[in-house]
Amino acid sequence: MEYMTTASTGGPRWLTDEEQGVWQAYLHATTLMEDHLDRQLQRDAGMPHTYYGLLVQLSRAPGRQKRMTELAKDAKITRSRLSHAVARLEKNGWVRREDCPSDKRGQNAVLTDEGQDMLARSAPGHVEAVRQAIFARLSPQQVKSLGEIMRVIAGGLQPEDTDADLPWLR
């Protein structure tokens, strides 16, 4: 396929063959990674990777609690999806909701002792799955490069505009 450029045709600037290969490799690897981590956590802890991530965020928050809107923003998921996830975590006894003392309309998600215990039990298997999938396959230089690349990509995608129309702000 011949690639057109915006400058010469006014149309889209298509990916080169090399860029297309890198893009497809990225998509393939990230899909496989998410599946790998989801399967491990479902098998070992009975929860998807997204729920594990929410427990981790709450465990690191002051008082093991965070406003629901902040949790949605930090997890990069919609408030609706977060509400569903927290309901499932509540059902398991791992999280509870409390009214926000500073804003009567807001709620905090709070990691319970049972949730902290579940996180402590599931963390070793999760860390091993991450280590096996990424760090055991890369040289120290590749690990450093991957970190640098991911920070550049994330930095370019993280909006500075807090009013941006993003799913986790809806």
Side-chain angles (χ1 to χ4, degrees), residues 60-149:
R60 293 180 173 174
R64 296 190 329 204
Q65 64 181 328
K66 193 177 268 199
R67 274 191 67 130
M68 292 283 285
T69 52
E70 287 302 308
L71 190 56
K73 181 179 148 203
D74 293 346
K76 307 294 187 259
I77 60 176
T78 64
R79 291 178 198 171
S80 173
R81 185 172 177 209
L82 176 67
S83 184
H84 176 74
V86 169
R88 293 284 308 273
L89 294 169
E90 280 180 305
K91 185 177 178 183
N92 290 335
W94 300 337
V95 171
R96 72 175 178 273
R97 293 181 217 216
E98 294 180 354
D99 289 335
C100 181
S102 63
D103 178 1
K104 296 301 178 195
R105 295 176 297 154
Q107 284 192 315
N108 290 330
V110 181
L111 182 66
T112 64
D113 290 342
E114 294 83 5
Q116 184 66 41
D117 290 345
M118 170 50 78
L119 193 57
R121 285 192 309 273
S122 58
H126 179 67
V127 169
E128 185 55 36
V130 170
R131 180 169 299 290
Q132 174 196 28
I134 299 174
F135 300 106
R137 300 173 191 275
L138 300 177
S139 70
Q141 183 56 46
Q142 289 172 317
V143 169
K144 182 179 177 185
S145 294
L146 179 62
E148 291 169 355
I149 290 165

Side-chain angles (χ1 to χ4, degrees), residues 21-42:
V22 169
W23 173 240
Q24 292 303 316
Y26 169 83
L27 290 175
H28 188 71
T30 55
T31 300
L32 289 172
M33 175 65 71
E34 192 60 33
D35 179 66
H36 174 70
L37 297 177
D38 252 352
R39 283 185 291 114
Q40 179 271 318
L41 284 164
Q42 285 288 1

